[in-house]
Amino acid sequence: MATRTHAPQRLSNCSAPDFGADTGVRQFPHSDRCRKPKESCPHGMGDLELLLPGEADALVRGLHSFQLREMGSEGWNKQHENLEKLNMQAILDATVSQGEPIQELLVTHGKIPTLVEELIAVEMWKQKVFPVLCRLEDFKPQNTFPIYMVVHHEASIINLLETVFFHKEVCESADDKVLDLVDYCHRKLILLVARNGCGDPSEEERPQDSTPMQELQKQAEMMEFEISLKALSVLRYITDCVDSLSLSTLNRMLSTHNLPCLLVELLEHSPWSRRKGGKLQQFENGRWQTVAPSEQQRLTKLDGQVWISLYNLLLSPEAQARYCLTSFVKGQLLKLQAFLTDILLDQLPNLADLKGFLAQLALAETQPPKKDLVLEQIPDFWDRLERENKGKWQAIAKHQLQHVFNPSDQDLRLQAQRWAETYRLDVLEAIAPDRPRCAYCNAEASKRCSRCQSVWYCCRECQVKHWEKHAKTCVLAAQGDRAK
């Protein structure tokens, strides 16, 4: 880590209530997984196991960082597949509440810093190398899925981090890399604020004659939104550990990035909500959903993450000792008063303490920051990667064009076989946030077409009514399975 000197910013301490285990605040709102006993889990995951304990240990031990030019290579692909397996197993473990061995293995073997490095490396690849690949005129791949897997790699890692960062010891095991992770989350929150609630482009807005690479670019843009929402959850879990964070991390969050003011901007813009056709839609479980009028005052999980992050950053004594309430900061924070309605306080009662803090802040005098000098660590992984690869983006793209993203038909078949083994259908169905829907009436479904195994029905009557429409695709799908 690099170091620098700066003037700390202090604020008189105010006592903050402790989030006890019985308040439920730490458990709400979490990611889209459920933490329920095995017998009550609605997804039927109790008997599912993707990895044996010995397998998981070996996969975690084998995690290591790759150079940018190695992304998409054979070795990198194997690690990506291993990360996907660990990711799915971590979600299964969290759902049935039978211990979380993946989280424990990552902490025991010190692999959280490795995951943070891989996360930032693929973020840089997407920003610096991927656009160059898209501009190369001689790059017209027959299959863009190998590139898609690299683009998707960032989503896989941030999802795994969101799952395991629920536990305080994971944040502590990140060591100095928590600074890099805070910077990463800050970049993603900036992207969310910039969206201004515009939502994702609909299918109808996409050009019908787009090339495979243009379509891949559009998918990457849409994926960026969901990645940013995951980063918000990770940041919230970091703020849960504010009492054990280093002084450098606190200064990074409060002084360098001024995260409380950024979170206020997020609440104002609410990029996960939009109006479409006169109806309110909210982004939940990976898609935009229309909200019934009776549910429009309900606190969303994402809004909850922001409020809890603000609570942690504004009311913890450790943060208050570092945060300088300038006139600008005071003006921004007082905007929160308009959001703290009785309906919101009924859903998150602990926010009553935040309301009291804001009432005191409205009467308080603002103070300039003090000029004391302290030694502070700063994150350097992003800068180091950029220095090491500066001026090489074109060369990296051309190398990957020739040696990574232009596989033979045989290589593609072998890779497809490994992907099929990684993404097991039963596991994917189990970790999906929504239950399957009937292809005919859209009701919740529990039966699947026995021939093609790809379409669901709620009853035999719906299957019979839908057969005329489904027959052709059913035969083709069944033939494809036999051909494998």
Side-chain angles (χ1 to χ4, degrees), residues 321-388:
R322 308 304 308 165
Y323 197 33
C324 178
L325 291 180
T326 64
S327 57
F328 169 77
V329 169
K330 178 179 176 180
Q332 288 295 103
L333 295 182
L334 289 180
K335 293 179 181 179
L336 295 173
Q337 291 179 313
F339 295 95
L340 289 168
T341 63
D342 291 340
I343 295 176
L344 176 61
L345 295 178
D346 286 342
Q347 297 176 76
L348 267 183
N350 291 78
L351 293 184
D353 300 298
L354 179 58
K355 186 175 182 178
F357 168 80
L358 294 173
Q360 295 180 22
L361 176 62
L363 303 174
E365 294 280 339
T366 57
Q367 296 180 356
K370 295 182 179 180
K371 301 297 182 181
D372 300 334
L373 295 178
V374 298
L375 195 64
E376 179 190 9
Q377 290 178 310
I378 60 173
D380 67 345
F381 187 71
W382 174 277
D383 292 335
R384 177 157 56 86
L385 267 183
E386 200 165 29
R387 286 195 305 270
E388 291 174 353

Side-chain angles (χ1 to χ4, degrees), residues 156-394:
S156 300
I157 298 176
I158 193 63
N159 194 75
L160 178 57
L161 288 176
E162 182 199 25
T163 303
V164 301
F165 256 76
F166 181 83
H167 302 275
K168 189 173 183 178
E169 58 269 23
V170 175
C171 183
E172 294 171 348
S173 74
D175 297 326
D176 294 340
K177 285 296 181 288
V178 74
L179 282 163
D180 295 279
L181 187 56
V182 165
D183 271 24
Y184 172 87
C185 293
H186 175 256
R187 290 192 293 270
K188 298 304 179 182
L189 263 58
I190 291 291
L191 291 177
L192 281 178
V193 171
R195 292 181 66 89
N196 198 19
C198 61
D200 290 315
S202 64
E203 295 289 335
E204 292 76 20
E205 292 170 340
R206 300 183 189 178
Q208 298 298 318
D209 57 346
S210 60
T211 65
M213 287 303 294
Q214 289 173 335
E215 183 65 23
L216 185 59
Q217 283 180 288
K218 183 60 64 177
Q219 290 175 341
E221 292 172 11
M222 297 175 67
M223 198 184 301
E224 192 68 37
F225 177 55
E226 295 191 56
I227 290 171
S228 299
L229 297 180
K230 298 289 184 182
L232 172 60
S233 294
V234 171
L235 180 66
R236 173 262 159 118
Y237 295 131
I238 294 175
T239 66
D240 281 345
C241 307
V242 70
D243 58 335
S244 59
L245 294 175
S246 68
L247 182 64
S248 298
T249 305
L250 277 175
N251 280 328
R252 196 77 181 167
M253 298 170 73
L254 298 171
S255 302
T256 306
H257 296 318
N258 200 351
L259 285 178
C261 287
L262 182 58
L263 291 169
V264 173
E265 289 286 312
L266 268 181
L267 282 177
E268 284 191 304
H269 291 92
S270 189
W272 44 83
S273 300
R274 69 182 184 184
R275 289 278 175 182
K276 191 170 184 180
K279 296 181 178 180
L280 176 65
Q281 292 185 334
Q282 292 174 342
F283 194 85
E284 289 187 275
N285 297 331
R287 60 189 177 92
W288 289 99
Q289 302 184 43
T290 300
V291 183
S294 60
E295 294 289 313
Q296 291 185 6
Q297 297 297 320
R298 179 179 57 87
L299 180 69
T300 67
K301 294 178 182 178
L302 293 165
D303 283 312
Q305 301 286 38
V306 178
W307 280 113
I308 295 174
S309 300
L310 281 166
Y311 185 104
N312 292 335
L313 291 174
L314 294 177
L315 295 189
S316 66
E318 294 81 8
Q320 288 183 348
R322 308 304 308 165
Y323 197 33
C324 178
L325 291 180
T326 64
S327 57
F328 169 77
V329 169
K330 178 179 176 180
Q332 288 295 103
L333 295 182
L334 289 180
K335 293 179 181 179
L336 295 173
Q337 291 179 313
F339 295 95
L340 289 168
T341 63
D342 291 340
I343 295 176
L344 176 61
L345 295 178
D346 286 342
Q347 297 176 76
L348 267 183
N350 291 78
L351 293 184
D353 300 298
L354 179 58
K355 186 175 182 178
F357 168 80
L358 294 173
Q360 295 180 22
L361 176 62
L363 303 174
E365 294 280 339
T366 57
Q367 296 180 356
K370 295 182 179 180
K371 301 297 182 181
D372 300 334
L373 295 178
V374 298
L375 195 64
E376 179 190 9
Q377 290 178 310
I378 60 173
D380 67 345
F381 187 71
W382 174 277
D383 292 335
R384 177 157 56 86
L385 267 183
E386 200 165 29
R387 286 195 305 270
E388 291 174 353
N389 296 282
K390 187 176 181 180
K392 301 177 183 178
W393 312 119
Q394 186 90 7

Side-chain angles (χ1 to χ4, degrees), residues 107-127:
V107 172
T108 300
H109 298 308
K111 293 301 182 178
I112 296 299
T114 303
L115 290 179
V116 175
E117 289 181 355
E118 278 290 277
L119 179 70
I120 295 172
V122 74
E123 179 196 18
M124 179 167 287
W125 181 91
K126 287 170 65 176
Q127 288 190 21

